[in-house]
Amino acid sequence: MASRHHTKLLAIALVLCVALSFTSPAQGRAPFACDPRNGLTRGFKFCNTNVPIHVRVQDLIARLTLPEKIRLVVNNAIAVPRLGIQGYEWWSEALHGVSNVGPGTKFGGAFPGATMFPQVITTAASFNQSLWRQIGRVVSDEARAMYNGGQAGLTYWSPNVNIFRDPRWGRGQETPGEDPTLAAKYAASYVQGLQGDGAGNRLKVAACCKHYTAYDLDNWNGVDRFHFNAKVSKQDLEDTYDVPFKACVLEGQVASVMCSYNQVNGKPTCADPDLLRNTIRGQWRLNGYIVSDCDSVGVFYDNQHYTRTPEEAAAEAIKAGLDLDCGPFLAIHTDAAIRKGLISENDLNLALANLITVQMRLGMFDGEPSVHPYGNLGPRDVCTQAHQQLALQAARESIVLLQNKRNSLPLSPARIRTVGVIGPNSDATVTMIGNYAGVACGYTSPLQGIARYVKTSHQVGCRNVACRGNELFGAAETVAKQVDATVLVMGLDQSIEAETRDRLGLLLPGLQQELVARVARAARGPVILVIMSGGPVDVTFAVNDPKISAILWVGYPGQAGGTAIADVIFGQTNPGGRLPMTWYPEKYLTKVPMTVMDMRPNSATGYPGRTYRFYKGPVVFPFGHGLSYSRFSHSLAIAPKEVSVSVPLALTNSSLSSEAVRVSHASCDDTLEMEFHVDVKNEGSMDGTHTLLVFSKPPPGKWSQIKQLVNFHKTHVPAGSNQRLKVGVHVCKHLSVVDQFGIRRIPSGEHELHIGDIKHSISVQTVQQIKN
């Protein structure tokens, strides 16, 4: 599914939005089904909201013909006029704002745009769970408003929670980064924000966690996602790739999971019952539906040649646990699969029941929309001042200060009167919202943001991020010689990294590096390098250049990105973002083919491993790195030093392996939750936000290579003040490791916690639980 670019909104469109803001939502949206004015449907049990949903679902399915059923398990589901049911488009997107990538959403008329938040990799850098939930609530408010106006659906195939395993991946920008704990917490938080409080099993909108699983290669070195077989160990599946999806289902209570294009260990994910029926629905107990990535069923038949006939492909998908096909494949081939006895009509009924159940939880079979929860939302609830302010707050919280030589930042507008703003992203607008975006309410570019503080002089230096020529370098150098300070806004855009477009390297594209070096050499004042990108960039040259004063990473900062960038540069905002991924040197790539899925290093082959958890070589900037204009110190006020894990006597021998007890055999109750009280002091002169990162490291021995993030806490600390944080660490969840068989275990012995800059040891002992 490809993203599209959009132009800046005209002021007249916003005026139109205001003019139409008092239109009743009900005027735009007729009831999806069960219209109380329709005498035909008034007596149907599936329209009776006093009847339990599962009974209503079975009543509806019993009234459908086989051809109707088949046309309801594809994304563009047909209308069933004889039952008073409208057609429905399941495919809508809301990765970081309501998007028009899917056919289910249309902008225009009363809804010319929606709030475009920073790209996911950017807001992940905030390490702020409450912010992620807030963004989800705003996005679902706007989605519901557009649904009420007849311009959107209620099923949104977001978020993307794949692990950002390889820095070249074009879609890494859509993800919360490389760490499973961070990705899991983001996934659960954003889903909870989107779907509402879940009261009465109801849904505000239905979210979808994608792409399950081990999907993180689009098109690299002649290998594409449609043909790729990801060879993944049980260990890596359990402790890396599946972690965010498990959190989506168990903690986020997500209403949908999407299976991916690729194969995992020789089986297409959308045809693998172990992954779909046994894991997602069986072990994790998904309360919702499973959908294919678009045309995935066709892909595993046409491209991967997994089955001999299309009917077998349709049958394999449905038997594996697929409920909805994004694409026409099931609509075309399911009837023949049933006639040939490959599946039964009851198999189809089970898939249909999962789909209709979600629609009923959304209220789509409850009659008049305007009298139900969220039915009053309309154009006035989209692009509100509060929503746009949250987009700005998200951008501010997510900017990462990578380097600040001689405390060059923040700049003082009183002393710095003129600023040169240079670079291919210096006046960016659409670039700032990344991919899977929609039409923004409006934009503030970096140039516009800086111009609110000081007088600016602007040169692009490169015509675009590809930067294939140096003919504009001279003008940029001239500006740098004349101004008090220079801000270079460089980086990437969707022409370099995107869906179907993995990067070949990690350096700045084209001649960008030369432009930066020449401008820095010419500049008479401080030089600030701003990197706008989704993936990491090797900027070693800039780190080592004495003329470059500071480096900021701003990701793709959303519609208000320019304001946020300027606020950080001029000290209106104290930066507090942390990198959600490792920034590797370019030479790292020579040792890691994208096709190798192993997370752990292999000394025999020279394979260095992936992400901060397993790669121990040189980096440009490490995971979790981020500076502030303040200095924070930590001290432990309360810190447990030992804990005992109880194991039933009958299981003691079978559960132990090298002094590591199986988590499934331990008594993992609340008594194993340890609470740490940490005092955080802001020793600087500026108020700031601080992210406390907590890592665990198991006892020395076979597990000792593993250092993993187990928790984090974001707090605001006024200058000169203390904040006491309470941070929970659960033995079973946070001190466990995964063995080579994919079994999660708790090693006995001395575990080491890294709480900010403090190292603290905890002794974990296993005791036999003897029942009276």
Side-chain angles (χ1 to χ4, degrees):
M1 296 180 282
S3 62
R4 293 178 240 166
H5 294 304
H6 308 286
T7 57
K8 187 184 292 188
L9 290 179
L10 298 174
I12 189 169
L14 293 176
V15 172
L16 177 63
C17 182
V18 173
L20 294 174
S21 65
F22 299 103
T23 304
S24 167
Q27 293 177 11
R29 165 67 68 184
F32 172 75
C34 304
D35 190 336
R37 295 162 296 188
N38 185 346
L40 171 70
T41 63
R42 212 171 289 146
F44 291 157
K45 186 182 288 186
F46 69 80
C47 290
N48 186 344
T49 57
N50 295 318
V51 173
I53 283 182
H54 72 276
V55 177
R56 297 170 67 192
V57 168
Q58 293 306 318
D59 178 74
L60 173 54
I61 290 174
R63 298 174 188 273
L64 294 169
T65 66
L66 179 58
E68 289 168 343
K69 292 175 183 177
I70 291 170
R71 285 303 312 277
L72 292 175
V73 295
V74 289
N75 63 289
N76 55 341
I78 61 164
V80 187
R82 64 184 187 84
L83 298 179
I85 298 171
Q86 296 187 32
Y88 181 67
E89 176 54 68
W90 286 83
W91 180 7
S92 291
E93 303 276 355
L95 186 68
H96 52 109
V98 179
S99 167
N100 56 355
V101 169
T105 303
K106 300 285 189 295
F107 287 107
F111 300 95
T115 309
M116 290 297 117
F117 291 90
Q119 180 60 289
V120 175
I121 193 68
T122 316
T123 45
S126 72
F127 281 80
N128 188 342
Q129 295 179 76
S130 62
L131 174 66
W132 302 331
R133 277 190 291 271
Q134 277 183 284
I135 292 172
R137 290 188 198 109
V138 166
V139 172
S140 56
D141 274 353
E142 299 195 356
R144 266 284 176 173
M146 292 183 68
Y147 172 78
N148 292 339
Q151 290 182 222
L154 290 177
T155 46
Y156 289 85
W157 294 347
S158 304
N160 178 343
V161 298
N162 292 117
I163 295 295
F164 196 172
R165 169 189 63 98
D166 190 291
R168 292 162 289 197
W169 188 30
R171 301 188 73 177
Q173 61 181 295
E174 302 172 30
T175 76
E178 72 179 36
D179 180 76
T181 295
L182 174 60
K185 288 182 180 291
Y186 176 87
S189 300
Y190 188 61
V191 167
Q192 288 163 358
L194 283 175
Q195 294 192 164
D197 60 15
N201 199 29
R202 307 292 285 192
L203 292 166
K204 186 180 180 185
V205 302
C208 173
C209 288
K210 63 185 185 183
H211 313 82
Y212 183 74
T213 184
Y215 168 70
D216 50 18
L217 177 151
D218 267 58
N219 193 349
W220 177 81
N221 202 27
V223 180
D224 67 40
R225 58 185 176 169
F226 305 125
H227 299 86
F228 180 51
N229 176 24
K231 296 176 182 176
V232 188
S233 69
K234 291 181 179 179
Q235 188 174 35
D236 286 342
L237 268 181
E238 174 63 28
D239 82 347
T240 300
Y241 296 111
D242 283 1
V243 173
F245 293 97
K246 188 175 184 179
C248 266
V249 178
L250 294 180
E251 298 166 35
Q253 295 293 302
V254 76
S256 177
V257 173
M258 176 184 286
C259 51
S260 53
Y261 289 117
N262 56 289
Q263 295 186 354
V264 172
N265 298 327
K267 284 188 178 182
T269 64
C270 292
D272 190 339
D274 284 337
L275 293 178
L276 307 189
R277 193 174 299 283
N278 296 347
T279 301
I280 297 176
R281 198 170 294 285
Q283 294 177 30
W284 302 343
R285 306 195 67 77
L286 172 72
N287 180 17
Y289 70 97
I290 298 173
V291 60
S292 71
D293 203 342
C294 291
D295 296 316
S296 282
V297 184
V299 163
F300 77 67
Y301 171 69
D302 291 317
N303 299 66
Q304 299 172 7
H305 309 296
Y306 185 68
T307 62
R308 289 185 306 104
T309 67
E311 296 84 6
E312 289 173 338
E316 288 292 318
I318 292 171
K319 286 190 296 185
L322 188 72
D323 301 309
L324 182 70
D325 178 20
C326 177
F329 200 91
L330 291 189
I332 298 169
H333 300 293
T334 300
D335 181 65
I338 292 174
R339 282 190 284 105
K340 292 182 177 181
L342 301 174
I343 52 171
S344 68
E345 185 172 349
N346 188 57
D347 293 321
L348 189 63
N349 291 346
L350 293 173
L352 200 53
N354 291 327
L355 297 172
I356 297 170
T357 297
V358 168
Q359 289 181 315
M360 288 193 176
R361 292 171 63 199
L362 288 163
M364 294 173 65
F365 286 82
D366 292 353
E368 175 54 54
S370 63
V371 301
H372 293 293
Y374 316 113
N376 62 332
L377 295 171
R380 65 184 177 277
D381 301 296
V382 180
C383 287
T384 68
Q385 185 175 353
H387 292 182
Q388 296 193 62
Q389 186 63 32
L390 184 63
L392 174 57
Q393 177 191 335
R396 285 170 171 161
E397 288 195 28
S398 304
I399 290 174
V400 182
L401 178 60
L402 296 173
Q403 184 169 279
N404 194 16
K405 296 175 185 172
R406 301 175 296 279
N407 293 320
S408 302
L409 289 180
L411 301 181
S412 167
R415 292 194 300 271
I416 302 293
R417 300 299 184 89
T418 57
V419 171
V421 186
I422 294 169
N425 281 332
S426 56
D427 199 23
T429 52
V430 173
T431 294
M432 296 194 299
I433 61 176
N435 71 349
Y436 277 81
V439 179
C441 312
Y443 295 99
T444 303
S445 73
L447 175 63
Q448 291 169 327
I450 293 168
R452 292 177 177 177
Y453 285 91
V454 292
K455 182 180 178 182
T456 59
S457 183
H458 179 231
Q459 285 290 330
V460 292
C462 302
R463 299 188 192 281
N464 51 47
V465 295
C467 198
R468 294 192 176 93
N470 63 4
E471 62 273 12
L472 303 179
F473 287 13
E477 291 172 287
T478 300
V479 165
K481 291 175 183 176
Q482 298 171 344
V483 293
D484 298 331
T486 301
V487 176
L488 284 147
V489 191
M490 314 300 288
L492 316 177
D493 64 13
Q494 301 307 303
S495 70
I496 304 295
E497 56 176 354
E499 184 171 13
T500 73
R501 186 175 293 121
D502 297 326
R503 285 194 284 164
L504 297 176
L506 302 181
L507 301 175
L508 286 170
L511 300 178
Q512 281 195 45
Q513 183 169 317
E514 182 186 340
L515 173 64
V516 172
R518 284 176 53 171
V519 168
R521 195 159 52 242
R524 68 182 177 94
V527 177
I528 315 304
L529 175 60
V530 176
I531 300 295
M532 189 178 292
S533 71
V537 181
D538 182 353
V539 289
T540 302
F541 81 97
V543 173
N544 296 330
D545 189 332
K547 289 296 298 287
I548 295 177
S549 311
I551 305 173
L552 293 167
W553 178 68
V554 300
Y556 292 123
Q559 64 176 49
T563 301
I565 291 167
D567 288 347
V568 168
I569 289 174
F570 290 99
Q572 183 69 28
T573 296
N574 191 348
R578 302 289 194 99
L579 287 180
M581 72 299 204
T582 302
W583 283 37
Y584 302 91
E586 173 80 2
K587 63 182 179 182
Y588 169 77
L589 301 182
T590 62
K591 301 177 181 178
V592 284
M594 273 194 83
T595 49
V596 177
M597 303 296 291
D598 296 342
M599 298 301 297
R600 290 159 172 79
N602 186 330
S603 57
T605 63
Y607 181 72
R610 295 184 181 275
T611 77
Y612 79 94
R613 295 161 65 217
F614 305 107
Y615 170 68
K616 304 306 176 189
V619 300
V620 182
F621 294 109
F623 172 87
H625 175 71
L627 305 176
S628 169
Y629 298 151
S630 298
R631 189 165 62 87
F632 297 92
S633 62
H634 312 99
S635 59
L636 281 178
I638 298 176
K641 293 185 177 180
E642 58 184 21
V643 63
S644 296
V645 179
S646 296
V647 180
L649 180 60
L651 295 174
T652 302
N653 291 333
S654 64
S655 66
L656 288 174
S657 172
S658 302
E659 299 300 318
V661 64
R662 285 191 184 207
V663 168
S664 60
H665 291 172
S667 300
C668 291
D669 53 25
D670 292 342
T671 63
L672 293 184
E673 175 85 36
M674 298 175 291
E675 189 171 82
F676 293 81
H677 292 205
V678 186
D679 289 331
V680 179
K681 184 177 182 180
N682 183 346
E683 298 180 346
S685 58
M686 182 183 290
D687 296 355
T689 57
H690 179 65
T691 299
L692 181 71
L693 301 180
V694 181
F695 296 89
S696 75
K697 196 172 182 181
K702 65 184 293 186
W703 314 108
S704 59
Q705 287 187 346
I706 301 170
K707 173 189 170 186
Q708 57 189 6
L709 183 72
V710 296
N711 211 338
F712 53 86
H713 196 111
K714 182 121 178 180
T715 186
H716 179 78
V717 190
S721 297
N722 279 296
Q723 286 281 4
R724 176 162 290 186
L725 305 180
K726 295 180 181 179
V727 180
V729 175
H730 196 285
V731 174
C732 296
K733 186 174 182 180
H734 298 137
L735 301 187
S736 59
V737 294
V738 177
D739 68 17
Q740 66 268 36
F741 305 107
I743 298 170
R744 190 165 287 277
R745 296 181 178 276
I746 307 166
S748 297
E750 294 291 320
H751 291 249
E752 189 174 86
L753 286 183
H754 296 220
I755 304 171
D757 53 8
I758 300 170
K759 290 184 180 180
H760 177 77
S761 292
I762 298 176
S763 177
V764 176
Q765 302 299 328
T766 301
V767 298
Q768 296 176 350
Q769 180 182 15
I770 303 174
K771 293 186 178 180
N772 294 330

